Amino acid sequence: MNIILLGPPGAGKGTQARILVERHGLVQLSTGDMLRAAKSSGTELGNRVADVMARGELVTDEIVIGLIEEQLDGEAGRHGLIFDGFPRTLAQADALGELLASKGKSLDAVVEMRVDDAQLIERITGRFTCGNCGEVYHDVTKPTARDGECDVCGAKEFVRRSDDNAESVQVRLMAYYRSTSPLIGYYHAKGLLKPVEGLGEIDRIAASIEAALNL
Ligand code: AP5
């Protein structure tokens, strides 16, 4: 099964993708994670995108399509995939359709996660992640069970994203409404859209997604 998790910044795409990976053996392809990895390893690509990401703007279509193409050509391409944070523009959506078709694959569903803006800002400004395994937490809604220790791997180092500040969040939301939200109509017209309420308990939302996907 190949699916897209579509939603604004902070909608819970990464959180839900990790649950689907764990329960259903899918592979998560997050262009945000790929770009952050390039940034922290100081590659030429990482240096090129660092400022754009810090401001909350979109990286060029050419760069992110290239990253996804590399993944589809590699080991990930042999598994069921969750596209997290990709596509984000109509050009990326067209490119994804062509890439999948060229490999004899197709999309099964696009889960649209709906969350209102006030909640998104609270979620993003309270987010932190494990520096070792990447588990996602929140200061209020999902703290670690033991103070300062990751529930999953026990690591004691956590990171906060440099673009998780109020100024950049506003730019990210604008980018979502301007460039990404047209994908809702695009995938609705293809009969693939599955809207899911993104407010509420994390486990309950996971159950709604599983029901929408018949998992
Ligand atoms: P990316 O990393 O994709 O960020 P994003 O889309 O802004 O999404 P987030 O990771 O912020 O949110 P999420 O929906 O995954 O929420 P999460 O589960 O973490 O992209 C970053 C940047 O990279 C972009 O701005 C752009 O510059 C660039 N980029 C990436 N892809 C690109 C592309 N395709 N094209 C161009 N540029 C691209 O949850 C958020 C918080 O809420 C967490 O703290 C979590 O614990 C909490 N939470 C989750 N669910 C719930 C719940 N149900 N109730 C309460 N709290 C919850």
Side-chain angles (χ1 to χ4, degrees):
M1 166 174 276
N2 300 308
I3 64 164
I4 293 173
L5 293 183
L6 179 65
K13 303 180 296 292
T15 300
Q16 295 298 333
R18 290 177 77 86
I19 293 174
L20 289 169
V21 166
E22 195 181 305
R23 293 188 190 164
H24 303 287
L26 299 169
V27 170
Q28 175 188 12
L29 293 184
S30 159
T31 39
D33 287 348
M34 292 173 209
L35 292 166
R36 278 185 290 280
K39 241 175 39 166
S40 58
S41 52
T43 61
E44 193 226 321
L45 168 66
N47 295 335
R48 263 200 289 157
V49 299
D51 287 346
V52 177
M53 289 177 77
R55 285 196 299 273
E57 293 165 7
L58 293 184
V59 168
T60 64
D61 290 336
E62 189 197 353
I63 288 177
V64 288
I65 292 166
L67 289 172
I68 289 291
E69 188 170 9
E70 254 175 49
Q71 293 292 323
L72 291 178
D73 286 339
E75 168 62 23
R78 295 165 45 185
H79 300 267
L81 298 170
I82 305 169
F83 296 95
D84 164 7
F86 180 91
R88 262 170 147 101
T89 63
L90 290 168
Q92 291 178 25
D94 283 339
L96 177 62
E98 284 164 22
L99 279 173
L100 288 172
S102 73
K103 301 190 181 309
K105 292 170 180 284
S106 59
L107 269 178
D108 296 285
V110 176
V111 176
E112 182 207 349
M113 302 183 61
R114 294 184 169 171
V115 179
D116 62 70
D117 288 2
Q119 176 70 212
L120 294 172
I121 292 166
E122 269 182 40
R123 284 189 187 181
I124 288 177
T125 49
R127 168 171 49 196
F128 62 102
T129 55
C130 172
N132 180 46
C133 73
E135 183 68 5
V136 183
Y137 295 95
H138 188 276
D139 292 326
V140 178
T141 59
K142 195 188 166 205
T144 54
R146 264 186 298 206
D147 204 18
E149 196 175 308
C150 177
D151 299 354
V152 176
C153 71
K156 294 191 166 74
E157 294 211 355
F158 295 90
V159 287
R160 288 186 190 261
R161 278 168 46 177
S162 57
D163 59 343
D164 279 354
N165 57 72
E167 199 180 320
S168 153
V169 170
Q170 291 298 343
V171 179
R172 284 157 66 192
L173 277 174
M174 285 305 294
Y176 176 77
Y177 291 119
R178 190 177 50 240
S179 305
T180 310
S181 64
L183 299 186
I184 295 169
Y186 177 97
Y187 286 118
H188 172 74
K190 291 182 184 287
L192 292 172
L193 197 73
K194 313 263 182 204
V196 166
E197 173 58 58
L199 276 178
E201 294 289 316
I202 290 172
D203 280 345
R204 205 176 50 74
I205 295 164
S208 308
I209 293 174
E210 288 173 322
L213 298 174
N214 295 318
L215 284 171

